[in-house]
């Protein structure tokens, strides 16, 4: 199958006649083609040897297996690596060698058994796990379905409803839940795991415990009529949740085949579907996102220097507003001690109340116990001055966007904090060099740009200036990881990476509306493309105050590519500023449900007349494809500039920025990956055509022009991007 030597299994036979087969392929013991071959060989050997009575399968270093080796997907997709013949793993190895073996086997699961890892475990005749082990079939998050028999065995162990939930959401269960579900047979601590599994397999041999071939179990399966209803419900849910995705529906079909036509038929249908889905654009995009997410914390010149992150124990947050309180919440949730500073008692109390409310909402949803709430909130204390800042390891400033205020704060911080303290600002627009102008500490000033609500949104932009020291970036990356954010390291400029993309996105909506495209149609088309909401619904949600403030920054810094429409200011004049005022592009009822508002057309008319633009029938009848391209190609253009200016290290980081910061659909691989699927030349030509018709605003940047001329993909251009850092 594969050519690279990539992992193996070992076989050790004890005096009790139990052979322990151990999967070894760090870091997660993934099932590479080599591991799978070796697993078959170890099994064949154990089955042949007379001194082996029974088998235990386990993984090295406290991890059973993280599943099929995702790094081998690329080779199989491009045809560089030969795909295993149909059914080789699921039928020949997993079913006909492991499950059909004449000697009993038990899986000893610690750490994780995901995807193919759990599928191997389910083919054993029993499973023992540790209470915290994670067991799941997360293949759908990679655009494929379980391919080693998981679609057939999981329903037979836990029932249809739970197995569908586990596969369709890709969420694992912990060992302690798994035992209740029937997925594992017993839960024991790590140090008892192998011994218990050895005894268990000998007990099976002696018929003191059942010898179960899961593929043929039926008692957990619902009767056919009921099963059909469950499938139909699951299909309706899958269509509603992700209308553009086919593989969840394929997964349901494959499970159904096993119920209707028997598990062997199900296995073959699964094998065929897996091979087809592996080559789909959705799978390629989602696998790209998987690796891109893990790649954002690998920053050339920073994380390859052997620097170790310093320990951050205590963090001070300045400002208890929406952002500051969200940041404080994110920190205490991950066990950091936090001091929240405000300017007076009233603001301080309000800030602490916001943090409490953030935690309480978890308690209400049953995600946090009252006891955990008390323990978490005890990590937070409030102050009105800098006295207690002397022993903090990091400060995150999150006050209003006012340059002189921030300059004063950083000058004060330099006086009160220790010289090792990291000085971070949550500014979303202001130049960090300006913020640190009145200090001598430029080397430890860094941007920590959170997205609202900060305790929920997964992205963190870490902004570095030319002076920020690599150690500070390494420290920030570590804190980011500990508070469960995906960090992207970016350079210092107006709007950094995410807001620059966002700005193009919202502006183009205004351009189209002034020429006659319907507001609500644009939102519908963009939602159908896969964004969580269209640009107008989003503007309402965020509130026009933010849109206007960042708009001003862009007009100032990038005037040649700012579309100047009066629509938003006109609405603001009438106090229509979005969801907060119950009226924006939509009107909102008591439950904040949006509906189209005919009054909006009055404002559109007025802004058209100010801009001197007439309705163009072409724009009234624009196709869905044209709407998508006119909204997103300028975003691609701006993203190219961000890359070419060296604001981002690599295109894949911008894919993650678009997915996690903007809500760009991950199954399209992020903005640059999607652009490359269409081709740089095509995007360049369309932008050129629009530039001629509608002005400089659409003009493709030099980087895009260069890539188009070479016929090169935008994401292959890392070397060309000259870093400004
Ligand atoms: C036919 C079958 O049905 C098909 C399959 O099995 S498809 C695979 C199904 N399995 C999965 O989807 C699991 C994917 N992995 C994960 O969710 C997480 O990596 C994890 C929960 C296993 C570990 O998470 P965490 O401890 O945070 O470590 P994380 O940084 O994600 O991973 C550690 C390293 O292992 C790699 N890795 C994780 N799972 C892998 C896999 N299945 N194959 C290859 N590499 C994998 C990661 O890329 C990362 O590599 P890096 O250090 O070079 O960046």
């Amino acid at each position: 199958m594969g050519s690279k030597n990539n992992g193996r299994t070992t076989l050790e036979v004890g005096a009790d006649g139990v052979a322990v087969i151990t999967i070894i392929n760090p870091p997660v013991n993934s099932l590479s083609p080599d591991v799978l071959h070796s697993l078959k060989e170890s099994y064949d050997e154990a089955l042949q040897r007379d001194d082996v009575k029974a088998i235990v399968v386990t993984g090295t270093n406290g991890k059973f297996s993280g599943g099929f080796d995702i790094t081998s997907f690329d080779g199989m997709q491009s045809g560089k690596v030969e795909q295993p013949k149909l059914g080789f793993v699921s039928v020949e190895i997993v079913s006909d060698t492991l499950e059909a073996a004449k000697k009993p086997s038990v899986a000893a699961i610690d750490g994780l058994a995901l995807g193919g890892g759990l599928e191997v475990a389910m083919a054993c005749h029993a499973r023992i796990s540790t209470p915290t082990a994670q067991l799941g079939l997360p293949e759908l998050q990679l655009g494929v379905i379980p391919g080693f028999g998981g679609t057939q065995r999981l329903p037979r162990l836990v029932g249809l409803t739970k197995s569908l939930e586990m596969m369709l959401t890709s969420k694992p269960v912990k060992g302690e839940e798994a035992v209740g579900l029937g997925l594992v047979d017993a839960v024991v601590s790590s140090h008892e795991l192998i011994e218990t599994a050895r005894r268990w397999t000998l007990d099976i041999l002696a018929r003191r415990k059942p010898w179960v071939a899961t593929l043929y179990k039926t008692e957990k399966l619902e009767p056919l009529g009921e099963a059909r209803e469950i499938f139909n419900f699951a299909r309706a849910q899958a269509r509603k949740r992700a209308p553009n995705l086919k593989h969840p529906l394929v997964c349901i079909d494959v499970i159904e085949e096993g119920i209707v036509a028997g598990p062997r038929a199900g296995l073959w249908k699964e094998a065929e579907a897996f091979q087809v889905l592996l080559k789909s654009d959705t799978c390629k995009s989602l696998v790209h996102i998987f690796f891109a997410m893990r790649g954002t914390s690998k920053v050339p010149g920073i994380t390859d220097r052997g620097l170790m992150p310093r320990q951050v124990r205590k963090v001070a947050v300045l400002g208890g507003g929406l952002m500051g309180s969200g940041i404080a919440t994110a920190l205490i949730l991950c066990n950091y001690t936090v001091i929240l500073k405000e300017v007076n008692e009233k603001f301080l109390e309000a800030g602490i109340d916001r943090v409490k409310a953030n935690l309480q909402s978890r308690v209400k949803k049953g995600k946090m116990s009252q006891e955990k709430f008390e323990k978490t909130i005890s990590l937070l204390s409030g102050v009105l001055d800098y006295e207690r800042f002397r022993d903090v390891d990091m400060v995150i400033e999150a006050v209003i966007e006012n340059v002189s205020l921030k300059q004063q704060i950083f000058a004060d911080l330099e006086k009160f904090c220790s010289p090792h303290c990291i000085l971070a600002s949550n500014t979303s627009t202001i130049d960090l060099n300006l913020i640190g102008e009145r200090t001598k500490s430029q080397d430890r000033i860094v941007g920590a740009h959170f997205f609202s609500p900060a305790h929920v949104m997964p992205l963190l932009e870490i902004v570095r200036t030319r002076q920020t020291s690599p150690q500070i970036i390494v420290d920030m990356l570590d804190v980011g990881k500990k508070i469960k954010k995906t960090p992207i390291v970016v350079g210092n400029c107006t709007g950094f990476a995410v807001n620059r993309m966002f700005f193009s996105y919202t502006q183009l909506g205004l351009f189209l509306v002034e020429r006659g495209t319907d507001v609500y149609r644009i939102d519908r088309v963009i939602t159908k493309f896969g964004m969580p909401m269209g640009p107008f619904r989003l503007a309402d949600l965020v509130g026009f105050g933010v849109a206007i403030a960042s708009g001003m920054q862009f007009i100032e810094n990038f005037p040649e590519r700012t579309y100047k429409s009066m629509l938003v200011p006109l609405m603001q004049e009438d106090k229509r500023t979005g969801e907060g005022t119950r009226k924006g592009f939509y009107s909102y009822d008591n439950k904040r449900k949006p509906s189209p508002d005919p009054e909006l057309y009055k404002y559109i008319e007025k802004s058209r007349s100010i801009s001197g633009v007439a309705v163009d029938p072409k724009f009234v009848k624009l196709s869905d494809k044209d709407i998508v391209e006119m909204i997103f190609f300028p975003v691609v253009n701006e993203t190219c500039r961000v890359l070419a200016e060296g604001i981002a290290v690599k295109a894949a980081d911008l894919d993650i920025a678009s997915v996690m910061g903007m809500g760009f659909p991950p199954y399209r691989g992020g903005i640059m990956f999607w652009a490359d699927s269409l081709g740089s030349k095509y995007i360049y030509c369309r932008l050129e055509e629009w530039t001629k018709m509608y002005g400089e605003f659409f003009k493709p940047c030099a980087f895009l022009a260069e890539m188009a001329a070479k016929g090169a993909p935008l994401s292959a251009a890392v070397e060309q991007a000259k870093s400004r850092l």
Side-chain angles (χ1 to χ4, degrees), residues 51-65:
D51 59 338
V52 174
K53 290 192 272 189
I55 300 163
V56 166
V57 184
T58 193
T60 189
N61 278 340
K63 287 174 187 142
F64 187 82
S65 169

Side-chain angles (χ1 to χ4, degrees), residues 27-28 30 66 68-70 116 119 138-139 142 146-148 290 294 298:
V28 299
S30 63
F68 195 33
D69 179 10
I70 307 168
E119 294 175 288
E139 285 87 343
L142 297 169
F148 296 166
F290 177 84
R294 280 148 186 88
K298 293 171 187 146

Side-chain angles (χ1 to χ4, degrees), residues 220-242:
K220 280 278 177 87
L221 295 179
E222 289 77 357
L224 203 55
E226 209 177 301
R228 285 225 156 93
E229 270 173 37
I230 295 173
F231 288 128
N232 287 341
F233 180 71
R235 281 190 185 98
Q237 292 284 98
R239 281 198 192 99
K240 199 165 141 204
R241 207 167 16 211

Side-chain angles (χ1 to χ4, degrees), residues 260-534:
V260 175
R264 288 295 277 200
L267 278 186
W268 286 108
K269 188 164 171 133
E270 179 197 86
E272 280 161 22
F274 183 84
Q275 287 208 347
V276 173
L277 290 170
L278 184 69
K279 299 209 163 152
S280 67
D281 287 344
T282 301
C283 174
K284 288 176 193 163
S285 304
L286 288 170
V287 168
H288 167 72
I289 291 294
F290 177 84
F291 288 115
M293 258 178 77
R294 280 148 186 88
T296 61
S297 49
K298 293 171 187 146
V299 189
I302 302 284
T303 51
D304 48 10
R305 289 178 176 221
L307 293 167
M308 295 306 289
R310 294 171 302 166
Q311 199 164 28
V312 171
R313 288 190 191 87
K314 199 166 175 186
V315 184
V317 176
L318 270 119
L322 194 64
M323 286 311 295
S325 57
I327 295 168
T329 309
L331 288 162
I332 56 173
L333 273 171
C334 296
N335 290 323
Y336 284 99
T337 302
V338 174
I339 303 176
L340 184 67
K341 181 183 176 304
E342 258 299 353
V343 286
N344 60 40
E345 286 287 354
K346 193 173 147 218
F347 285 180
L348 183 59
E349 205 183 306
I352 292 177
D353 283 349
R354 277 190 199 100
V355 178
K356 283 186 183 158
N358 291 341
L359 296 181
Q360 278 298 352
S361 103
R362 288 178 180 238
V363 176
K364 270 191 213 132
K365 287 180 195 148
K367 289 184 183 164
M368 181 183 261
S369 67
Q370 188 60 29
E371 192 192 347
K372 175 86 175 125
F373 169 86
E374 303 293 346
K375 212 172 145 207
T376 309
I377 200 70
S378 74
L379 294 169
L380 179 76
S381 53
V383 294
L384 295 175
D385 58 37
Y386 290 112
E387 275 315 312
R388 284 178 50 204
F389 276 47
R390 294 185 197 280
D391 65 342
V392 299
D393 305 303
M394 177 163 140
V395 178
I396 304 177
E397 166 275 308
V399 306
I400 51 163
E401 295 284 69
N402 175 317
V403 178
S404 55
L405 174 65
K406 286 186 197 262
Q407 285 177 334
Q408 182 58 49
I409 286 174
F410 276 75
D412 289 341
L413 289 174
E414 193 176 42
K415 276 188 239 141
F416 283 92
C417 298
S418 77
H420 77 263
C421 180
I422 303 160
L423 304 178
S425 170
N426 175 56
T427 182
S428 55
T429 39
I430 302 174
D431 185 336
L432 286 171
N433 289 320
L434 214 55
I435 291 178
E437 210 173 57
R438 286 165 52 190
T439 74
K440 292 189 197 67
S441 300
Q442 273 92 351
D443 59 334
R444 55 194 174 111
I445 292 182
V446 66
H449 182 212
F450 289 81
F451 294 79
S452 185
H455 57 296
V456 177
M457 291 291 282
L459 189 67
L460 172 65
E461 269 182 322
I462 298 178
V463 189
R464 56 176 167 168
T465 68
R466 285 203 173 93
Q467 285 87 30
T468 312
S469 82
Q471 181 64 56
I472 295 287
I473 308 288
V474 169
D475 297 341
M476 274 305 306
L477 281 166
D478 187 54
V479 173
K481 186 172 179 186
K482 290 199 172 118
I483 59 172
K484 301 189 180 79
K485 303 288 173 202
T486 298
I488 57 162
V489 175
V490 295
N492 187 24
C493 69
T494 301
F496 315 127
V498 176
N499 281 348
R500 275 179 70 173
M501 294 181 192
F502 246 131
F503 192 64
S504 310
Y505 174 65
T506 36
Q507 277 201 86
L508 260 297
L510 296 170
F511 170 88
L512 291 178
V513 165
E514 287 202 342
R515 273 154 188 81
T517 319
D518 183 63
V519 165
Y520 306 113
R521 170 140 185 262
I522 294 174
D523 272 3
R524 273 198 308 277
V525 170
I526 296 301
T527 313
K528 202 168 132 203
F529 174 78
M531 297 292 283
M533 59 189 84

Side-chain angles (χ1 to χ4, degrees), residues 3-234:
S3 54
K4 205 169 81 180
N5 188 354
N6 201 349
R8 65 200 164 98
T9 64
T10 55
L11 179 137
E12 253 180 77
V13 184
D16 55 359
V18 176
V20 177
I21 298 176
T22 307
I23 303 167
I24 306 176
N25 191 15
V28 299
N29 297 328
S30 63
L31 303 174
S32 64
D34 291 316
V35 169
L36 289 164
H37 273 296
S38 172
L39 178 66
K40 170 132 177 58
E41 277 165 18
S42 291
Y43 243 87
D44 287 341
E45 186 186 332
L47 296 178
Q48 271 159 22
R49 277 172 63 163
D50 292 337
D51 59 338
V52 174
K53 290 192 272 189
I55 300 163
V56 166
V57 184
T58 193
T60 189
N61 278 340
K63 287 174 187 142
F64 187 82
S65 169
F68 195 33
D69 179 10
I70 307 168
T71 58
S72 65
F73 277 31
D74 184 36
M76 292 192 285
Q77 283 159 346
S78 61
K80 285 189 194 127
V81 176
E82 205 188 320
Q83 275 217 32
K85 79 173 193 309
L86 198 70
F88 174 66
V89 182
S90 67
V91 179
E92 211 169 301
I93 302 184
V94 177
S95 302
D96 294 351
T97 307
L98 273 63
E99 192 172 55
K102 296 275 180 294
K103 296 179 184 177
S105 61
V106 171
I109 303 166
D110 198 2
L112 40 93
L114 298 175
L118 181 60
E119 294 175 288
V120 164
M122 288 192 293
C124 292
H125 304 116
R127 283 148 298 283
I128 316 291
S129 96
T130 57
T132 52
Q134 293 185 57
L135 301 98
L137 294 179
E139 285 87 343
L140 267 72
Q141 75 184 0
L142 297 169
V144 286
I145 59 168
F148 296 166
T151 59
Q152 305 305 308
R153 289 190 181 84
L154 189 61
R156 287 172 166 77
L157 284 170
V158 304
L160 272 181
T161 306
K162 185 67 191 177
S163 67
L164 278 163
E165 179 202 310
M166 285 175 69
M167 286 184 254
L168 294 176
T169 63
S170 290
K171 282 206 183 113
V173 293
K174 290 228 174 104
E176 53 203 2
E177 187 187 346
V179 75
L181 292 171
L183 180 55
V184 303
D185 298 273
V187 170
V188 296
S189 66
S190 309
H191 67 272
E192 296 167 302
L193 185 63
I194 299 295
E195 266 324 299
T196 311
R198 294 185 101 102
R199 278 198 309 276
W200 201 287
T201 194
L202 291 173
D203 281 349
I204 296 178
L205 188 69
R207 303 286 168 177
R208 287 190 293 269
K209 297 250 192 265
W211 186 324
V212 182
T214 301
L215 195 62
Y216 301 100
K217 252 170 85 79
T218 51
E219 67 271 19
K220 280 278 177 87
L221 295 179
E222 289 77 357
L224 203 55
E226 209 177 301
R228 285 225 156 93
E229 270 173 37
I230 295 173
F231 288 128
N232 287 341
F233 180 71

